[in-house]
Structures are given as C-alpha cells and as structure tokens.
Amino acid sequence: MPVIAPMPAPRTNRIPSQREGAEGTMAEDTMAAGTTVDHLTETYRAHYRSLLGLAALLLDDTASCEDVVQEAFIRVHSARNRVRDPEKTLAYLRQTVVNLSRSALRRRILGLKLLSKPMPDMASAEEGAYDQLERDALIKAMRKLQRRQREVLVLRYFGDMTEAQVAETLGISLGSVKAYGSRGIAALRVAMEATA
C-alpha cells in the first residue's frame, strides 16, 4: 500500500541569544528529538497497517480508511512540534485516526439523513455463509453500542491495545475504560444471544 512520505521541513539555523547559551540549545535538541520528520515518518510506516485496521474497525468502510490514516499523518506532521516525547508519536497518530473516524461517521450520518430515499441493500456473494451472518450480527450489535463503548472495545480487542493504551488514546481514565468495556461486552453478549 502506498505510504505518504512528506518532504523534509526546511531547517532554520537559529542563533541562540547570549542568555540562552548552551543550555537553550540543549533544551531545543531534547525537545526536537520527538518532533523530527524522520521519526514521525518511521513510526507511520512501521504502524501503517495497524492504523489502517483501526480505521477500518471504527468506520466499517474500507474505501475511506486509507484517506483517514493518511490525513492523520498529515495532521500530526503539521502539528509535530506538540509531540515532545518520541514515545507518544504513535499515540498521537492513533488519537488522530480515532478523531477523524468520528468526523467521517458524523458526515456519513448527516448524509444519510439528507437522502430522500434509502440506499438499496447490496447483497454480497458470501452473505449465505454462516460466518458472514455471524459477522453481520456482530457489526449490527456493535453499532447499537454507545460510542465510547464501541471505541473501547474496538481499540482493546481488535486493536490489541492494553487498557492503559486505550485510556491514553481516548483521553479517559483507566476506570472509565474498564467500565465502558465491561458494559459493552455485556450488551454485545445480550444482543448476540438474541440473534442465536
């Protein structure tokens, strides 16, 4: 899959003032370690497929997933001076993918409300298979969950993230992740038993 590799940002040679001296330069070098274009690009390339999978699970629309992931890279690239810790680059990318997925879903819902007539259901060739029916039931059940429950479950179980990583990505507490997760699983269990 194609990966956007941005043009390196032009370097500016700033001369430190006498008050800053060597200390100001050292502080800049430390802060810049997590904000370099090379580090961001390397992180993006290494985790591209997992970011794409995350977008696919949140959007359930493979056509726009790649656009969301690439847009996330562009946004983090343009705001890379905010990423002070190199270890948080991936977290910034994930959070941006989640936010852009939310925006895409909002636009899609608004578009569906504005349609004068409903879109016809398109039957796929695999629809008769048992595993496809089970997957469809799971997707329907996931759509009925609260937004936060769905996001926690997708990140935790499909994104294979720890509870702490989910909390950091969504910007909520660890206790909230556990609560949303357990309520979401309980709701899914009830919905899946009803379809069985």
Side-chain angles (χ1 to χ4, degrees):
M1 294 197 165
V3 176
I4 294 178
M7 296 293 292
R11 288 188 158 180
T12 56
N13 294 329
R14 190 176 74 78
I15 301 172
S17 67
Q18 287 181 335
R19 283 183 289 173
E20 290 178 329
E23 291 175 9
T25 307
M26 275 179 47
E28 270 184 32
D29 290 345
T30 304
M31 188 180 96
T35 61
T36 63
V37 173
D38 291 339
H39 178 73
L40 176 61
T41 304
E42 182 181 317
T43 303
Y44 176 75
R45 285 182 177 157
H47 297 280
Y48 177 78
R49 291 201 186 279
S50 68
L51 293 169
L52 192 62
L54 174 63
L57 289 167
L58 291 172
L59 290 173
D60 193 34
D61 173 24
T62 55
S64 58
C65 294
E66 192 172 67
D67 292 339
V68 164
V69 173
Q70 290 179 354
E71 178 68 21
F73 173 79
I74 291 167
R75 291 201 183 179
V76 173
H77 179 271
S78 58
R80 68 187 181 279
N81 58 341
R82 295 183 195 161
V83 185
R84 299 183 195 281
D85 182 3
E87 298 298 318
K88 295 196 177 187
T89 304
L90 180 58
Y92 271 83
L93 283 168
R94 283 180 178 152
Q95 181 63 50
T96 307
V97 167
V98 169
N99 290 341
L100 290 172
S101 297
R102 284 180 190 160
S103 297
L105 286 173
R106 276 189 222 110
R107 285 191 303 272
R108 190 175 304 153
I109 289 169
L110 181 61
L112 288 174
K113 286 180 181 178
L114 296 176
L115 283 177
S116 58
K117 51 187 172 182
M119 297 287 287
D121 289 335
M122 301 297 287
S124 65
E126 303 87 25
E127 201 165 277
Y130 177 75
D131 57 340
Q132 183 67 33
L133 291 175
E134 191 171 277
R135 183 178 181 276
D136 289 344
L138 178 62
I139 289 172
K140 285 178 186 174
M142 288 285 286
R143 287 182 181 154
K144 291 178 183 176
L145 294 177
Q146 294 176 0
R147 178 179 57 93
R148 279 286 192 206
Q149 289 175 349
R150 184 173 56 249
E151 290 171 355
V152 167
L153 292 180
V154 166
L155 292 173
R156 179 77 175 96
Y157 296 104
F158 294 99
D160 201 27
M161 295 170 69
T162 65
E163 289 174 338
Q165 289 172 327
V166 173
E168 184 179 344
T169 300
L170 295 178
I172 58 177
S173 70
L174 189 59
S176 295
V177 169
K178 291 178 181 181
Y180 285 124
S182 66
R183 288 184 197 132
I185 288 173
L188 278 180
R189 189 173 290 129
V190 169
M192 294 303 287
E193 287 173 1
T195 59

